[in-house]
Amino acid sequence: MLGWIVRGLVTAAGVVASWLVAKDSPQFGIMQMAVVLFLVVLIVWVLAFWPERWTHVLSRLHKPR
């Protein structure tokens, strides 16, 4: 499961890095890892600062009526 998440992040980072650097250049791997690191930091930031009121709204959606 974790491998799928990492593979998705690396694939997304490869797409973003290919916008900035050619795939056959030596800097592509460095740029790809920088984008992966940015995505991981972004995900952790969103999870850390998730507003509590959004959690209450989402939990109300799953309650049976």
Side-chain angles (χ1 to χ4, degrees):
M1 180 68 180
L2 184 62
W4 292 354
I5 295 169
V6 172
R7 183 177 293 177
L9 285 173
V10 171
T11 302
V15 170
V16 173
S18 68
W19 294 341
L20 304 170
V21 180
K23 284 188 177 182
D24 57 349
S25 72
Q27 292 87 8
F28 181 77
I30 296 169
M31 181 64 74
Q32 188 178 16
M33 285 297 115
V35 174
V36 167
L37 183 62
F38 176 75
L39 289 174
V40 169
V41 167
L42 182 68
I43 290 169
V44 169
W45 184 82
V46 166
L47 291 176
F49 294 107
W50 186 266
E52 188 176 348
R53 64 175 181 227
W54 291 359
T55 306
H56 292 299
V57 171
L58 290 175
S59 65
R60 271 190 268 149
L61 292 175
H62 297 294
K63 285 186 180 177
R65 295 177 188 226

